[in-house]
Amino acid sequence: MTSQRTRDRLITRLQEQGIDNEQVLDVIRRVPRHLFVDEALAHRAYEDTALPIGYGQTISQPYIVAQMTQLLLQDGMPNSVLEIGTGCGYQTAVLANIFPQIYSVERIEALYLLAKKRLAELELYNVQLRYTDGIEGWPNPSYRFDRIIMTAACSEIPEALVGQLNEGGIMVLPIDNGIDQTMTRITRGREGLISESLEKVVFVPLLPGLN
Ligand code: SAH
């Protein structure tokens, strides 16, 4: 169920859908997704599908994790990545296997604690997690990031996040227009923000406050 053959099948499926970054494919092949879901769902961990992780939240579909990670890698290897919405920590683990420094925030304490435990078990020491509302950005306001990835949908990009993105930095997030959601890439140029709409997606909403 969680065998190498099952994982290889997932990689083939991702390639068929246009994921072509070898580093991303290699990391997805290696990171044990079955350790990030409930044991009862572990046999489905290498299907290309979102799965429930409790508290009304979901672990993102592997294709989406791969696609967002690939988007963060365009324009070279950044140093620091801020993730809004740690959830079960799977996307965080994928990022931590590629980028030097990962910062990730989660507003549901139980998920934050579980993710912290799992990431420590995988010995991913280049990750810093915080239990906080990501709408306010990373809790230390003087921090700046080369990339920001948001794994929950919002109608407007939180101001604090724009402020924490380095010039030349890239933010990848789902934007909800009230009808549907679009994966969007925002680049912070010298003249301001450049926004590109990519594909239609389905994410849980970005919610304010702590839980
Ligand atoms: N990458 C995660 C996705 C989880 S779903 C995974 O694959 O498991 C999105 C996550 O964003 C949820 O855990 C949800 O609680 C979190 N979230 C929503 N609004 C948030 C906010 N304002 N600040 C931080 N996290 C938030």
Side-chain angles (χ1 to χ4, degrees):
M1 285 183 312
T2 56
S3 68
Q4 199 52 54
R5 196 145 51 90
T6 317
R7 295 187 192 198
D8 287 344
R9 216 178 296 137
L10 171 62
I11 299 306
T12 305
R13 197 185 142 85
L14 296 182
Q15 285 170 320
E16 284 165 3
Q17 291 178 94
I19 306 298
D20 57 8
N21 185 300
E22 286 301 330
Q23 198 179 5
V24 173
L25 291 168
D26 179 54
V27 168
I28 293 199
R29 191 183 282 116
R30 285 192 286 113
V31 174
R33 191 170 185 254
H34 64 278
L35 299 183
F36 289 88
V37 295
D38 197 81
E39 251 175 77
L41 287 171
H43 67 288
R44 299 192 58 197
Y46 299 96
E47 290 176 18
D48 187 24
T49 177
L51 293 168
I53 54 171
Y55 312 93
Q57 309 303 318
T58 52
I59 178 174
S60 301
Q61 179 193 355
Y63 165 72
I64 291 294
V65 172
Q67 177 67 345
M68 291 181 97
T69 308
Q70 196 166 267
L71 287 167
L72 297 180
L73 275 167
Q74 283 178 354
D75 247 30
M77 175 60 78
N79 185 42
S80 56
V81 181
L82 171 64
E83 177 187 41
I84 309 298
T86 316
C88 69
Y90 173 70
Q91 168 92 63
T92 323
V94 169
L95 296 173
N97 274 280
I98 297 178
F99 301 98
Q101 281 301 327
I102 310 299
Y103 301 79
S104 183
V105 302
E106 172 57 54
R107 67 177 286 278
I108 298 178
E109 189 174 26
L111 289 176
Y112 155 76
L113 291 170
L114 251 173
K116 194 172 175 174
K117 183 166 162 280
R118 287 172 178 147
L119 294 167
E121 278 164 8
L122 293 177
E123 301 183 351
L124 295 170
Y125 300 125
N126 58 337
V127 178
Q128 288 201 47
L129 300 182
R130 292 289 185 276
Y131 167 51
T132 186
D133 178 357
I135 294 173
E136 310 293 337
W138 185 253
N140 183 335
S142 66
Y143 274 44
R144 297 289 176 275
F145 304 92
D146 300 320
R147 301 286 185 270
I148 298 178
I149 170 175
M150 199 155 95
T151 65
C154 60
S155 51
E156 269 171 55
I157 307 166
E159 263 317 299
L161 295 183
V162 177
Q164 290 191 337
L165 187 62
N166 270 328
E167 196 177 299
I170 295 171
M171 188 179 328
V172 178
L173 74 167
I175 300 265
D176 193 327
N177 64 4
I179 300 166
D180 53 22
Q181 299 176 5
T182 307
M183 182 65 74
T184 307
R185 175 174 45 204
I186 308 284
T187 309
R188 183 170 186 172
R190 204 164 281 182
E191 315 278 298
L193 301 182
I194 302 157
S195 170
E196 291 161 85
S197 296
L198 306 168
E199 63 201 285
K200 295 282 175 234
V201 287
V202 180
F203 278 83
V204 295
L206 186 76
L207 297 173
L210 295 181
N211 203 317

